Amino acid sequence: MSVHDRILILDFGSQVTQLIARRVRETQVYCEIHPYDVSDDFIRAELGKGLKGVILSGSHASAYDEASMRAPQAVFEVGVPVLGICYGMQTMAMQLGGKVSFSDHREFGYAEVRAHGHTPLFQGIEDFSTPEGHGMLKVWMSHGDKVTELPPGFKLMASTPSCPIAGMADVQRHYYGVQFHPEVTHTVQGQAMLSRFVHEICGCAHDWNMPDYVSEAVEAIRRQVGDDEVILGLSGGVDSSVAAALIHKAIGDKLTCVFVDHGLLRLNEAEQVLKTFADNMGVKVIHVDATDDFMGKLAGVSDPEAKRKIIGREFVEVFQREAGKLKGAKWLAQGTIYPDVIESAGAKTGKAVTIKSHHNVGGLPDTLHLKLLEPLRELFKDEVRKLGVALGLPPEMVYRHPFPGPGLGVRILGEVKKEYADLLRRADAIFIEELRNFKDESGKSWYDLTAQAFAVFLPVRSVGVMGDGRTYDYVVALRAVQTSDFMTADWAPLPYPLLAKVSGRIINEVRGINRVVYDVSSKPPATIEWE
C-alpha cells in the first residue's frame, strides 16, 4: 500500500475518538487510531511510515489520578506536532510540567471561548468578536477537570470565565491543547481548526481520497487472500454491497456471496439484491432461505443483546455450512466499518463504555474455520459510499439508508415473530415510499434529506375505531434522523403533511396496525436504532 502522510490518534477511551479520525480524513489526510499505551518504539517506528503529527483524544478519566493514563513519552520526543483534546490537553500539561485539578464548575455542552495570543492554530479563525475586539469561538465542552498551571514554554491560547486555561500552545515545539472538542459538529470552527493543524502545522498533503484508494485496496486484498476462495455475507446494505464490489474487482470469481434470507428483510429486498448482483454485476450469489432457522432460534427471546447474539451465531453457522461446500474457501468477508467497531468495543482500547454489540464484530467463535477479510473496517460510512461510487455501483444503492445486520430483528421490540415482521416490513415500505415522494422547497426528497429512516414495531396494543367497529391493534413508531457521521444525530423535522400521509396509509393499508407515533429523540441520549 502507498505511504501516505499520516496523523496518529492516540485513544484514551473517549466515545468520540472516531469522530476525530473522520474529521481528519475529511481534510484528505490519512490517520489511524491506536491505544494510548502503545510503546515508545511504536511511536518512533511511525516516523518511517509517514507520521506527521499526533492527536491525543479525550477520556472519561482524570489526568491527576496517580493511576491515570499517559501518552508515550516518545510522542514529545520525535519532533512532530501534537494536539491534545480535552483529556489529551490535560495529560499533555501533566506530562510536560503543568498542573491539572478538579473543577468546581463543570462544563458540558455549548460554550463561548475567547481566543488569546494569535497562535497559528487559531489565527484568523473566529465565530464573532466582542465589542472589545476579542475573537470568540462557539465550541462544545465536556469536562469536569481543568488545567490550572501551564507547563514551561506554553502560553495561554483560549479561556472561558469558568475555565481560565481552555487552550494552551507551545508554538516553538508545535504543541497545542484545547479543552473543548473540535471534532464534534457543535464546535462551529472545529473542522477549520483540525484542517489548520494537519495541513499548515503538520504539513500533511491532500493525498487521501477514495478514487485513488481503490487500487490500493484491491492490491491489499490480493496480497492478503492470494489464490484462496472468499465467501461474503451479502445483506444488500451499503457496507456489504461495497465490500462485495471491491473484493470482486480484486479476485473476480474467487468470491462467492451468500445472501441469507432470515425472514427479517425489507419488502422485496431478496429479489432486488439478487437482480443487482447476480444478473447485473455477474457476481456469484448463493441464495439461502433460512427463515425457519432464525425464527425458531428467536422464539421467546426479548432481550436486545440476546437477539443480536442469536442472529450473529446463526449467520456464522450458515456461512460455515455454505463455505464447507466451496472448495478452497478459506476467508469470510464482512462489511465491518468503523462505527460498528466503536459501538461494540468502545474503541480499540476497549476502555470506553460498550453501547451495543454488532453481529459482525467480535462475535465469531473459535470454531470458525475461516479467516476474516474486512476491507472496510477502517472506513467511515461516508468513505464507504464514496468508495462505492468510485467502484461504479449505482448511486441509488450506494446512498441507500443503512440497514442493521440483524435486520428487522432489532426493529421489532421484544420477541420476534413472523407476524410482527410481516406487519413491520409493509409499514416500513410505505414510510420509505412517501419519504421519496415528498420534496422540500428545493425539490430534494425527504429520503435524501434524512440519513436514516425506518419504522419500529412496538409490541403493545391500543384501542382504535375503524368504521363503526372497535379495534385493538399494534403500534409502529417512525424514526428519521439527520446526521453527517452517525455518532451524533438529530431527529428529522418531517413536514406534518408527510407524517399525516404516512400515518394514514399505514393504518388503512396494514391490517393489524391502528396507531402510528413519531420518535423525536436525538443521539445522544438515544441511539439511532431502538435496540
Side-chain angles (χ1 to χ4, degrees):
M1 184 173 287
S2 301
V3 176
H4 296 275
D5 287 346
R6 70 168 63 194
I7 297 294
L8 175 63
I9 301 168
L10 294 184
D11 180 19
F12 289 87
S14 168
Q15 289 286 355
V16 292
T17 298
Q18 301 282 350
L19 278 183
I20 304 173
R22 185 177 180 278
R23 302 300 178 216
V24 171
R25 300 259 188 104
E26 286 178 346
T27 69
Q28 294 187 308
V29 173
Y30 181 70
C31 62
E32 288 185 356
I33 295 176
H34 290 277
Y36 74 91
D37 55 357
V38 295
S39 67
D40 287 336
D41 287 342
F42 176 88
I43 299 296
R44 295 188 185 99
E46 287 291 292
L47 288 174
K49 301 176 182 179
L51 180 67
K52 295 290 187 178
V54 176
I55 297 178
L56 309 177
S57 85
S59 174
H60 56 278
S62 293
Y64 49 77
D65 287 345
E66 288 186 11
S68 61
M69 301 171 282
R70 293 285 180 260
Q73 196 58 35
V75 166
F76 305 107
E77 297 173 351
V78 295
V80 300
V82 182
L83 172 64
I85 296 174
C86 196
Y87 180 92
M89 167 178 159
Q90 294 170 11
T91 193
M92 178 191 291
M94 292 285 291
Q95 291 182 243
L96 297 179
K99 292 183 180 179
V100 177
S101 304
F102 172 77
S103 176
D104 55 5
H105 187 96
R106 300 185 301 169
E107 288 183 303
F108 293 95
Y110 176 80
E112 295 180 353
V113 170
R114 176 185 167 186
H116 296 265
H118 302 287
T119 60
L121 185 64
F122 288 168
Q123 184 72 40
I125 298 176
E126 67 176 45
D127 289 304
F128 67 96
S129 58
T130 66
E132 296 80 17
H134 300 145
M136 303 294 291
L137 296 165
K138 298 178 180 180
V139 305
W140 190 73
M141 292 277 199
S142 180
H143 68 101
D145 302 328
K146 62 183 178 181
V147 175
T148 52
E149 184 177 314
L150 290 170
F154 280 77
K155 69 176 183 178
L156 183 67
M157 185 171 69
S159 68
T160 71
S162 59
C163 186
I165 304 177
M168 62 182 194
D170 182 331
V171 176
Q172 184 174 358
R173 290 187 288 178
H174 308 294
Y175 294 163
Y176 298 87
V178 293
Q179 188 57 67
F180 55 86
H181 288 266
E183 70 271 29
V184 302
T185 55
H186 302 79
T187 296
V188 178
Q189 299 291 341
Q191 185 69 353
M193 297 173 197
L194 290 172
S195 180
R196 172 72 57 79
F197 177 72
V198 300
H199 289 300
E200 297 182 28
I201 296 174
C202 296
C204 292
H206 296 75
D207 65 353
W208 174 253
N209 60 78
M210 287 302 103
D212 292 344
Y213 177 73
V214 171
S215 59
E216 294 181 26
V218 165
E219 178 188 341
I221 292 168
R222 288 172 178 166
R223 188 168 56 246
Q224 184 177 2
V225 172
D227 293 327
D228 296 338
E229 298 272 345
V230 177
I231 182 172
L232 179 143
L234 183 62
S235 69
V238 175
D239 303 334
S240 68
S241 296
V242 174
L246 178 61
I247 297 170
H248 185 254
K249 183 177 180 66
I251 63 174
D253 287 344
K254 292 175 184 173
L255 169 68
T256 300
C257 293
V258 176
F259 179 74
V260 179
D261 186 347
H262 48 23
L264 299 168
L265 299 172
R266 290 169 286 197
L267 192 67
N268 300 323
E269 186 154 24
E271 294 83 354
Q272 294 171 2
V273 169
L274 294 173
K275 182 176 179 59
T276 298
F277 283 91
D279 297 347
N280 297 340
M281 294 178 59
V283 178
K284 289 193 294 185
V285 181
I286 297 173
H287 182 203
V288 182
D289 186 352
T291 301
D292 293 341
D293 293 337
F294 279 85
M295 290 298 178
K297 296 285 179 63
L298 290 167
V301 179
S302 59
D303 179 73
E305 279 295 287
K307 289 194 295 185
R308 284 180 176 270
K309 287 182 171 63
I310 288 170
I311 293 170
R313 284 196 299 269
E314 196 64 22
F315 264 112
V316 171
E317 289 179 12
V318 173
F319 289 142
Q320 281 183 290
R321 185 168 64 245
E322 295 302 324
K325 302 174 184 177
L326 300 173
K327 184 179 179 180
K330 295 181 179 179
W331 296 87
L332 171 62
Q334 297 186 146
T336 307
I337 66 172
Y338 251 175
D340 298 338
V341 176
I342 188 174
E343 290 200 335
S344 288
K348 291 181 180 178
T349 62
K351 291 181 171 60
V353 178
T354 296
I355 304 299
K356 61 185 177 183
S357 65
H358 289 259
H359 79 273
N360 58 345
V361 181
L364 299 174
D366 294 335
T367 56
L368 181 65
H369 302 302
L370 296 170
K371 293 176 285 187
L372 270 182
L373 176 63
E374 298 177 314
L376 310 180
R377 186 180 177 88
E378 302 300 326
L379 301 183
F380 291 97
K381 179 68 73 172
D382 58 320
E383 291 179 314
V384 172
R385 294 187 195 280
K386 291 175 184 175
L387 179 59
V389 171
L391 287 165
L393 288 173
E396 60 269 20
M397 172 184 290
V398 172
Y399 289 98
R400 191 180 189 189
H401 287 182
F403 188 59
L408 301 182
V410 291
R411 291 179 179 175
I412 297 171
L413 302 196
E415 183 181 3
V416 176
K417 296 181 180 180
K418 185 177 185 302
E419 171 197 358
Y420 298 167
D422 290 340
L423 292 173
L424 178 57
R425 82 177 94 249
R426 291 167 58 202
D428 183 78
I430 290 171
F431 186 28
I432 298 304
E433 180 182 345
E434 292 302 337
L435 282 171
R436 292 186 184 278
N437 290 339
F438 267 70
K439 308 290 196 298
D440 72 348
E441 301 80 10
S442 67
K444 199 169 187 179
S445 79
W446 274 96
Y447 183 85
D448 293 329
L449 291 168
T450 55
Q452 193 166 359
F454 53 90
V456 179
F457 181 87
L458 308 185
V460 295
R461 289 176 136 174
S462 69
V463 174
V465 176
M466 288 189 180
D468 294 325
R470 174 186 183 274
T471 63
Y472 188 55
D473 289 328
Y474 292 106
V475 182
V476 293
L478 305 179
R479 178 74 158 144
V481 298
Q482 294 176 320
T483 177
S484 60
D485 51 43
F486 289 88
M487 300 301 297
T488 61
D490 295 317
W491 59 274
L494 300 183
Y496 288 162
L498 169 54
L499 289 172
K501 181 72 175 295
V502 173
S503 175
R505 283 196 59 192
I506 291 174
I507 292 172
N508 283 303
E509 297 177 28
V510 185
R511 187 179 296 274
I513 295 174
N514 70 352
R515 194 175 297 270
V516 176
V517 299
Y518 187 54
D519 182 351
V520 291
S521 310
S522 293
K523 174 186 180 180
T527 55
I528 294 177
E529 297 285 349
W530 278 43
E531 288 192 345

